[in-house]
Amino acid sequence: MPVLPGAEPYRHDGGEVGVLLCHGFTGSPQSLRPWAEYLAERGLTVSLPLLPGHGTRWEDMQLTGWADWYAEVDRELRVLREGCAQVFVAGLSMGGALALRLAAKHGDAVKGVVVVNPANKVHGLSAYALPVARHLVRTTNGIASDIAKEGSTELGYDRVPLHAAHSLRNFFRLVDGELPQVTQPLLLLRSPQDHVVPPADSARILSRVSSTDVTEILLEQSYHVATLDHDANRIFEESHTFIGRLAPSVGKEGTAAGG
């Protein structure tokens, strides 16, 4: 199936500091494209892959699971590592969970982690019904485009395939068990008004990671897809500052790129 216009992966070859951005469940690179371009304009090398089964039609996602999605970002991280001296991982929602697992598994190969409204659990009674329900019902209502800003929309599926949701639930359990292995500096940005992921997920992540350099920022004007919402620029600026603090060469590269 052809990729939906706007959902294409994004890649920019910049300086020696790289950033891997991971999009969310049923979403696409479109939700993080402005963030990727912001970092690229400041001289960073940026990779924003399209996860398998995403960006086309929900039927394609029905055939994929967490191992496929994780394998894609794991591969991209290894590619970034080949060309960059330092690499950061970042993500939105499920993409935050993918980023955290990369940090847990790759250790010192990951310099720092940035997560926006990271997801940690499939909530509600429906989560417990998934193992059976997925064999009876193919999809449920979509979760895309939870955005406060008028005129801003997320390119994502309007249906959630239940086989994929079941796999996601298993993935969250796996990552939760690995969170203590995350030791890197962590920047967590979250929206108090999030209609997809509750505050409990961020609280759980913050309580389980072993990172000692942790910053939490509230995005008061945004809903779940904050990277396309009123606080988008704040996310971009805070992440760039965070990366620059840990990789001082970033500021110099940005100046060179700007001049």
Side-chain angles (χ1 to χ4, degrees):
M1 283 294 294
V3 173
L4 296 169
E8 304 87 0
Y10 175 84
R11 174 82 194 210
H12 174 79
D13 292 323
E16 63 176 17
V17 178
V19 184
L20 171 59
L21 297 173
C22 309
H23 70 75
F25 184 69
T26 73
S28 75
Q30 177 261 355
S31 61
L32 301 183
R33 182 73 179 249
W35 190 5
E37 292 176 343
Y38 179 97
L39 295 174
E41 286 167 5
R42 282 151 186 80
L44 283 82
T45 292
V46 182
S47 175
L48 170 53
L50 172 64
L51 300 179
H54 292 70
T56 53
R57 53 180 196 150
W58 70 258
E59 289 88 346
D60 295 330
M61 192 177 178
Q62 186 81 329
L63 306 174
T64 66
W66 75 261
D68 304 301
W69 314 325
Y70 181 75
E72 183 67 24
V73 295
D74 186 78
R75 183 164 48 248
E76 285 297 315
L77 176 62
R78 293 173 193 277
V79 171
L80 277 176
R81 284 282 300 161
E82 288 175 7
C84 298
Q86 295 168 312
V87 176
F88 292 78
V89 294
L92 166 69
S93 194
M94 176 188 77
L98 289 169
L100 287 163
R101 182 160 209 251
L102 288 170
K105 302 299 282 185
H106 286 270
D108 292 343
V110 171
K111 185 72 175 176
V113 187
V114 182
V115 291
V116 179
N117 292 323
N120 177 255
K121 185 179 181 181
V122 176
H123 294 267
L125 289 173
S126 58
Y128 297 99
L130 273 174
V132 174
R134 67 194 176 105
H135 297 294
L136 307 173
V137 183
R138 296 182 76 194
T139 68
T140 186
N141 294 331
I143 55 172
S145 244
D146 183 35
I147 302 171
K149 187 177 180 181
E150 271 193 53
S152 184
T153 56
E154 180 189 16
L155 183 59
Y157 296 148
D158 59 0
R159 306 297 298 171
V160 173
L162 291 193
H163 274 301
H166 178 65
S167 182
L168 178 67
R169 183 181 179 223
N170 292 337
F171 178 63
F172 284 155
R173 285 174 163 179
L174 176 72
V175 175
D176 188 68
E178 295 172 343
L179 287 176
Q181 298 171 40
V182 177
T183 59
Q184 298 90 338
L186 172 64
L187 171 61
L188 186 150
L189 306 104
R190 67 175 181 88
S191 307
Q193 292 189 78
D194 186 330
H195 306 99
V196 178
V197 174
D201 285 36
S202 285
R204 173 76 177 178
I205 289 166
L206 290 173
S207 72
R208 303 237 340 128
V209 296
S210 299
S211 308
T212 54
D213 180 344
V214 177
T215 305
E216 180 182 15
I217 293 174
L218 297 185
L219 307 171
E220 301 282 0
Q221 308 301 316
S222 301
Y223 294 164
H224 183 62
V225 191
T227 48
L228 297 177
D229 217 326
H230 294 295
D231 292 296
N233 281 336
R234 176 138 196 232
I235 294 168
F236 307 162
E237 290 164 6
E238 292 284 1
S239 65
H240 184 251
T241 300
F242 173 78
I243 292 167
R245 173 167 67 82
L246 298 167
S249 64
V250 165
K252 296 169 190 169
E253 286 173 8
T255 304

